[in-house]
């Protein structure tokens, strides 16, 4: 493979982290200059929500991209993108908490009573174990099969995130629809790829054997 | 630096080229990813500057009987953060697009169950009544609020002049339909034209107001020029903008939002902290300019004046 003689793309990881977090700096700058408009809290809430979905979709796209092209670099940035998505989700939730004046009762009411909030909160909760098992040793400790199964939750989280966006929009569902289609398309690609791989190696347990030559798939 | 024999297959012998290439790729990736995410997510609002030069601050005049003492929302914010889907669904769209609206010449059709149906020019209509100032709270169904110094005349004065027949029970308002002036009407986000309505007794209440100005200036396009309704005890969407027709009817009119989402936007739409919107609580609101939230008052703080209009009406069902 060509990649073997290339330098190890040392710049890629830091570039993805800095690029992925650049919007935080812009958001802070916008907040300072008043560019967030007359309702800055609401605007920041919306922007961090969209950023969560965008980075989550990018991280979901890494494995299909690697499989379809044979490039190895997407696998190297998948974790970073996933963690950035989680960070945006936390930021989004933090701004929501601030917006509610950190009154637990209101938040609890929202989560229990309003499907719109339940979906968003559910997505965040699902992302939490994925973020906690993103450390180097986690795959080894959990076992590859269990780690992989756990990290499939990301699709459920993405689906709930899209639903949350969909319900949050009053009119014109174009943007949530785009994210819904992207997540659905990525899921379909994954299912098709898994089927094709499954045709050659039918039992799911044997996927472990193949892992020595390819990084774990989420 | 030691000179070694050149061998293009060994990368470390061209450290500067490698460094430059990697630095370019690094910068390109940062810019590409960061810029792409910005493009996807950033929706800059019109900058919340201070009061525009020339704006009149109505702080000096004595408070009238219908005014509120709350600090007035700065003109720049009141004219840059608007829901006016005729111009687009983003809050910043109306201010950006308002230039496409031409408010002169402008006529208003007055008809329905009236003795004198007629079409009247906006300037003539305005000249029928002495214009007065009203400082009203405005509470949006989305959970934010403003304090608006309107200039205009009581709706009741106009309705009395229309001479309702005994059949008149409701007032239906219709906004301008013209996709050339309203780019938002080129899509079907809502059923155009925008229609709103009031019960006749609500319309005759002294608080129900027709505004032609804001903060001592001619009403800006994004705020509903040249003629808009202001019913401060109801959620903002009831206060229809850019009105071209006022019709008295026998039956309750079908209003735009109650058709678009009947479970979320009722005909009455009285501000009510006890009745939640399906997706959020209505118990609190953010006054534009504040970072925190405040408690929402029943009927937006006008309960003493208007609560009697709804005795015997279940406001949970008739929301």
């Amino acid at each position: 493979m060509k990649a073997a003689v290339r330098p190890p793309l040392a710049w890629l990881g830091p570039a993805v982290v800095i690029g992925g977090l650049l919007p935080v700096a812009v958001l802070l700058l916008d907040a300072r200059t008043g560019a967030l408009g007359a309702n800055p809290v609401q605007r920041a809430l919306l922007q961090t929500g969209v950023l969560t979905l965008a980075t989550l979709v990018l991280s979901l796209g890494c494995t299909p991209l690697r499989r379809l092209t044979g490039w190895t670099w997407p696998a190297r940035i998948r974790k970073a993108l996933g963690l950035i998505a989680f960070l945006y989700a936390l930021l989004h939730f933090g701004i929501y908490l601030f917006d509610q004046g950190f009154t637990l009762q209101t938040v609890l009411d929202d989560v229990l009573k309003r499907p719109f909030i339940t979906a968003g909160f559910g997505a965040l909760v699902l992302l939490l174990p994925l973020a906690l098992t993103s450390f180097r040793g986690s795959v080894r400790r959990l076992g590859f099969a269990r780690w992989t199964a756990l990290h499939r939750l990301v699709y459920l989280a993405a689906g709930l995130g899209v639903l949350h966006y969909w319900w949050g929009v009053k009119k014109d569902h174009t943007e949530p629809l785009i994210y819904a289609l992207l997540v659905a398309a990525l899921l379909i690609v994954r299912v098709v790829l898994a089927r094709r791989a499954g045709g050659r190696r039918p039992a799911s347990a044997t996927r472990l054997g193949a892992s020595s030559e390819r990084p774990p798939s989420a | 630096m030691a000179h070694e024999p050149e061998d293009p297959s060994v990368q470390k012998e061209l450290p500067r080229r490698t460094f430059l290439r990697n630095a370019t790729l690094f910068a390109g990736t940062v810019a590409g990813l960061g810029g792409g995410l910005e493009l996807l997510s950033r929706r800059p609002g019109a900058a919340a500057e201070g009061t525009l030069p020339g704006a009149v601050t109505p702080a000096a005049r004595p408070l009238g009987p219908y005014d509120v003492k709350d600090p007035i929302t700065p003109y720049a914010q009141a004219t840059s953060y608007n829901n006016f889907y005729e111009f687009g669904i983003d809050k910043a769209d109306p201010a950006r697009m308002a230039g496409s609206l031409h408010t002169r010449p402008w006529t208003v059709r007055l008809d329905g169950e009236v003795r004198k149906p007629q079409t009247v020019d906006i300037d003539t209509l305005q000249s029928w009544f002495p214009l007065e100032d009203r400082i009203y709270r405005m509470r949006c169904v989305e959970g934010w609020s403003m304090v608006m110094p309107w200039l205009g005349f009581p709706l009741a004065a106009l309705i009395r002049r229309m001479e309702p027949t005994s059949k008149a029970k409701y007032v239906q308002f219709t906004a301008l339909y013209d996709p050339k002036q309203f780019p938002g009407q080129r899509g079907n986000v809502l059923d155009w034209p925008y229609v709103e309505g009031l019960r006749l007794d609500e319309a005759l209440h002294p608080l129900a107001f027709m505004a032609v100005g804001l903060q001592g200036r001619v009403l800006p396009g994004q705020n509903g020029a040249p003629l808009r309704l202001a019913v401060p005890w109801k959620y903002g969407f009831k206060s229809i903008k850019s009105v071209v027709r006022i019709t008295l009817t026998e039956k309750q009119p079908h209003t735009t939002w109650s058709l678009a989402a009947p479970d979320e936007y009722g005909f009455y739409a009285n501000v009510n902290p006890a009745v939640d919107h399906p997706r959020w609580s209505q118990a609190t609101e953010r006054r534009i300019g504040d970072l925190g939230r405040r408690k929402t008052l029943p009927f937006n703080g006008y309960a003493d004046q208007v609560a009697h209009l709804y005795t015997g009406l279940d406001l949970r069902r008739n929301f």
Side-chain angles (χ1 to χ4, degrees), chain B residues 170-215:
Chain B
Y170 293 91
V171 188
Q172 177 183 311
F173 302 85
T174 311
L176 176 70
Y177 175 72
D178 184 357
K180 277 199 205 94
Q181 298 189 62
F182 281 144
Q185 288 179 337
R186 289 168 209 163
N188 54 354
V189 186
L190 288 171
D191 259 334
W192 309 114
Y194 197 95
V195 173
E196 257 308 335
L198 296 171
R199 232 169 43 192
L200 187 61
D201 60 334
E202 295 179 312
L204 291 172
H205 191 280
L207 278 171
F209 198 63
M210 297 304 296
V212 297
L214 172 65
Q215 204 155 323

Side-chain angles (χ1 to χ4, degrees), chain A residues 35-157:
Chain A
L36 291 178
N39 198 346
V41 178
Q42 195 260 341
R43 186 73 69 164
L45 205 53
L46 178 73
Q47 283 189 19
T48 49
V50 173
L51 284 165
T52 307
L53 269 180
T55 46
L56 200 58
V57 164
L58 284 179
S59 79
L60 284 175
C62 286
T63 302
L65 185 66
R66 176 177 61 75
R67 296 258 196 99
L68 293 173
T69 60
W71 298 333
T72 53
W73 62 264
R76 296 160 146 264
I77 61 173
R78 187 183 58 179
K79 182 166 100 177
L81 286 169
L83 284 174
I84 291 169
F86 178 67
L87 199 81
Y88 279 124
L90 275 183
L91 199 57
H92 182 65
F93 184 63
I95 296 170
Y96 159 78
L97 287 181
F98 169 82
D99 191 22
Q100 301 301 328
F102 296 101
T103 37
L104 218 63
Q105 191 55 49
T106 316
V107 174
L108 210 63
D109 275 0
D110 262 0
V111 170
L112 295 178
K113 271 168 45 186
R114 287 179 251 284
F116 157 59
I117 303 287
T118 316
F121 186 73
L124 178 72
V125 168
L126 286 178
L127 286 178
L128 189 66
L130 309 198
L132 291 177
T133 56
S134 65
F135 299 102
R136 220 172 274 277
S138 298
V139 182
R140 219 179 323 114
R141 227 170 301 135
L142 277 173
F144 177 62
R146 259 192 293 172
W147 188 91
T148 305
L150 178 71
H151 278 245
R152 286 204 185 108
L153 282 178
V154 74
Y155 274 96
L156 195 56

Side-chain angles (χ1 to χ4, degrees), chain B residues 7 17 33 35 58 61 81 88 93 121 170 174 186 193 197 199 218 234 236 243 284 295 301-302 319:
Chain B
D7 178 356
R17 192 187 290 178
L33 181 60
R61 76 176 172 85
Y81 189 79
D93 285 340
D121 179 76
Y170 293 91
T174 311
R186 289 168 209 163
R199 232 169 43 192
V218 170
K234 292 176 180 288
V243 172
T284 60
K295 278 201 162 71
Y302 299 91
F319 55 86

Side-chain angles (χ1 to χ4, degrees), chain B residues 195-261:
Chain B
V195 173
E196 257 308 335
L198 296 171
R199 232 169 43 192
L200 187 61
D201 60 334
E202 295 179 312
L204 291 172
H205 191 280
L207 278 171
F209 198 63
M210 297 304 296
V212 297
L214 172 65
Q215 204 155 323
R217 311 164 124 215
V218 170
L219 200 59
Q222 59 267 40
N223 294 86
L227 180 70
R228 70 166 290 166
L229 182 64
V231 269
W233 69 95
K234 292 176 180 288
Y235 291 121
F237 69 88
K238 288 298 285 185
S239 291
I240 184 170
K241 294 164 169 165
S242 300
V243 172
V244 291
R245 188 173 173 192
I246 300 172
T247 311
L248 299 198
T249 63
E250 197 175 354
K251 290 196 180 121
Q252 182 175 310
H254 293 293
T255 58
T256 299
W257 271 111
S258 65
L259 282 177

Side-chain angles (χ1 to χ4, degrees), chain B residues 16 22 34 49 51 62 71 76 119-120 146 153 175 199 222 232 249 254 256 302:
Chain B
R16 186 196 279 179
N22 284 354
E49 338 140 29
T51 311
T119 301
V120 59
M146 292 184 179
F153 53 89
R199 232 169 43 192
Q222 59 267 40
T249 63
H254 293 293
T256 299
Y302 299 91

